[in-house]
Amino acid sequence: NTHGNPSGPMERDHIARLTLEGVILDDLAREDQLAELRDNPRVKAVLVRLDTPGGSAVAGMEIYRRLRDISASGKPVVA
């Protein structure tokens, strides 16, 4: 989940906090959240907290790819 509301009207620049918990499986809502963090001009960086025993390799690679996309857009990603 995200703290704050990344899809809501944020009036100021901010660092987004994203928490990924539990077994990693395919999750379209999470993919949408990551795309929103990438595209939101008010998000200046993303702080990721992982608390997971693992899960699907495909889903893990998708998270990795989307975090790399955020980083490639010029926003620091820290996990």
Side-chain angles (χ1 to χ4, degrees):
N1 70 34
T2 56
H3 298 276
N5 185 359
S7 60
M10 297 295 284
E11 295 181 16
R12 301 185 332 196
D13 293 348
H14 62 280
I15 296 172
R17 293 184 299 161
L18 176 69
T19 300
L20 301 174
E21 297 176 313
V23 177
I24 295 176
L25 301 171
D26 291 333
D27 184 346
L28 293 177
R30 181 186 56 235
E31 292 177 23
D32 290 345
Q33 280 183 328
L34 290 168
E36 173 64 26
L37 293 174
R38 180 196 62 217
D39 297 339
N40 185 335
R42 296 291 188 187
V43 173
K44 299 303 180 185
V46 179
L47 178 61
V48 182
R49 179 178 177 271
L50 300 166
D51 184 11
T52 174
S56 162
V58 172
M61 284 304 297
E62 184 62 24
I63 293 170
Y64 173 75
R65 186 181 69 77
R66 296 213 180 237
L67 291 173
R68 295 276 305 204
D69 288 348
I70 293 170
S71 181
S73 76
K75 299 176 183 184
V77 176
V78 178

